[in-house]
Amino acid sequence: MTAQPRHPRIAGQRTAAAPETLAVPRPLAIAAAWSWRLLVVGALAYLVVTFLAGIPVVSVPIFLALLLSALLHRPAALLRRVLPDWLAALTVLIGAAVVIGGIGYFVTFRVQSNAATLADQAQHVVDQLRRLAEHIPGVGGGSGDLLGTIQDWVKSHSATLVSGALAAGRVLAELVTGLVLTVFLTLFFLMDGEREWQWVVRLLPARARPVVNGAGHRAFSVLSGWIWGTAIIAVIHAVVIGVTLWLLGTPLVIVLAVLVFIGSFIPIIGAFVFGGLSVLVTLVAVGLWPAVILLGVLLAENLLEGHVYQPLIMGRTVRLHPVIILVALTVGGVLAGIMGAIAAIPVAAAVSAAVKYASGAEDIDGNAVPGAGRPVPEPPRAVQLPRARGR
């Protein structure tokens, strides 16, 4: 007895099949694979950054606490040899507060003790700037010029300025809240940072824990190297520029030196803004040639930072291409303002180090892994899609 076909409707017929071979060019397949992955990663990064930028009263203290922990964890580790964890963390934090407070008191004391002189110097600088602006077409000297426009705007918007001044109380409250949160987070990071990180790692699948744990330690090591190196370089900049300003007879020496110290934590932008401000004050208060001398010192300092300070102080801790630095600064400034510009470089360096460790290109100390960069065997020239089969 002859067996009947299971599907009589298609008995004796071949099912319509797809083309024998549907070849996808290898470059297109690779581009498509990278494209959707980059889109997912970019969308996730954008959402995270936007979310953190929307809650600065929380995100900024967390970032500052991480920086302070990266700065203070080494002395805290030394004290843990003779003190309990909580006491070592508290001692280091109080010591840092005393140092910062002492520097702030010294600057404040110097400003208050020379308040009259500083006011006269500041007024002299403002008068010189006004006289200089009056000789620039379109800037000063007329009601339609820039200075006249600014004065008219201030007069017409005085009520808005007053309401803005009243809103400063809310900003002050947020600053106090952020400061308190930063102190407490720093204390707990120094005291229980490793246990807190291990708790986070245990939330992940078991196979991913070793890589994530090593990447996190590598990123924190880079963050620590950045904050230590930047602080040392900032002190060098402030001392050199401060001494130069004092020798040139420039007013507001202490204020300008402190601004240079703060600006050193913002690569490129800080040196340009606060260094340019120092040159401008020297130009209008002392003269042309002292300003030229100060400009030469600033240029020499920037060259030394790129070729001497950073290689000697930071070593191989922070290794980013200048293009990556510029892009990170731009993105950070656009998304989160001045705080984003400050956080851009350490975040980019930490992420880069974590990715290199996770990909196997570097070990936990940042050394290149032998054989990690050897070429991968070339796959077939085209990706073959399976063809349909008839039954």
Side-chain angles (χ1 to χ4, degrees):
M1 183 176 181
T2 306
Q4 298 295 327
R6 180 171 299 180
H7 301 286
R9 184 168 56 88
I10 59 173
Q13 301 178 3
R14 295 194 60 177
T15 305
E20 291 295 324
T21 301
L22 181 58
V24 177
R26 180 169 173 267
L28 180 59
I30 296 176
W34 274 99
S35 296
W36 73 263
R37 288 176 172 86
L38 289 176
L39 286 174
V40 172
V41 173
L44 179 61
Y46 177 78
L47 291 176
V48 171
V49 173
T50 304
F51 174 75
L52 294 178
I55 50 171
V57 72
V58 176
S59 59
V60 173
I62 291 176
F63 176 72
L64 293 178
L66 285 174
L67 287 183
L68 289 175
S69 302
L71 181 65
L72 301 176
H73 82 282
R74 297 180 183 178
L78 293 177
L79 288 180
R80 284 196 191 97
R81 300 177 180 178
V82 295
L83 297 175
D85 291 349
W86 68 270
L87 186 56
L90 186 61
T91 302
V92 170
L93 190 59
I94 292 176
V98 169
V99 172
I100 296 175
I103 295 175
Y105 175 78
F106 173 76
V107 173
T108 305
F109 174 77
R110 293 290 297 174
V111 171
Q112 289 179 349
S113 61
N114 298 276
T117 304
L118 291 175
D120 294 338
Q121 292 174 341
Q123 186 61 44
H124 175 69
V125 171
V126 172
D127 293 339
Q128 292 285 352
L129 289 174
R130 187 186 300 274
R131 295 190 189 98
L132 181 62
E134 289 177 352
H135 294 84
I136 302 177
V139 176
S143 59
D145 293 330
L146 180 59
L147 293 181
T149 303
I150 293 175
Q151 293 175 356
D152 295 340
W153 185 89
V154 171
K155 291 179 182 179
S156 61
H157 294 78
S158 57
T160 304
L161 295 177
V162 171
S163 62
L166 295 177
R170 180 177 60 84
V171 176
L172 180 61
E174 292 182 356
L175 289 177
V176 173
T177 302
L179 178 61
V180 173
L181 184 58
T182 300
V183 172
F184 275 97
L185 287 175
T186 305
L187 178 61
F188 284 107
F189 285 167
L190 290 174
M191 185 171 55
D192 291 324
E194 181 62 28
R195 286 190 288 269
E196 293 169 358
W197 171 245
Q198 293 301 325
W199 177 83
V200 173
V201 171
R202 283 195 295 270
L203 297 177
L204 302 174
R207 293 177 57 186
R209 291 174 188 173
V211 174
V212 173
N213 185 40
H217 282 84
R218 179 72 188 122
F220 187 79
S221 175
V222 169
L223 191 66
S224 177
W226 178 86
I227 187 64
W228 270 97
T230 304
I232 295 174
I233 293 174
V235 170
I236 295 174
H237 283 328
V239 171
V240 172
I241 300 302
V243 171
T244 305
L245 292 171
W246 176 71
L247 293 175
L248 294 175
T250 304
L252 310 174
V253 174
I254 297 178
V255 177
L256 292 175
V258 171
L259 290 177
V260 169
F261 174 82
I262 297 174
S264 299
F265 287 87
I266 311 175
I268 303 175
I269 300 177
F272 175 78
V273 173
F274 296 113
L277 177 62
S278 302
V279 172
L280 180 61
V281 172
T282 303
L283 173 64
V284 299
V286 184
L288 175 61
W289 288 112
V292 172
I293 294 174
L294 179 60
L295 180 61
V297 172
L298 284 171
L299 293 176
E301 276 283 285
N302 288 330
L303 289 175
L304 288 174
E305 178 181 354
H307 296 84
V308 178
Y309 297 160
Q310 289 191 358
L312 289 179
I313 296 174
M314 293 189 181
R316 295 178 297 122
T317 302
V318 180
R319 290 171 291 181
L320 292 176
H321 194 275
V323 174
I324 302 299
I325 293 177
L326 289 176
V327 172
L329 286 174
T330 304
V331 173
V334 170
L335 293 179
I338 187 65
M339 196 63 207
I342 295 175
I345 303 305
V347 170
V351 171
S352 175
V355 170
K356 289 179 180 179
Y357 175 84
S359 63
E362 293 181 353
D363 59 13
I364 195 66
D365 298 320
N367 302 314
V369 176
R374 61 175 178 261
V376 179
E378 187 174 341
R381 291 294 177 182
V383 178
Q384 304 292 336
L385 298 181
R387 62 181 183 180
R389 298 179 179 177
R391 292 188 179 182

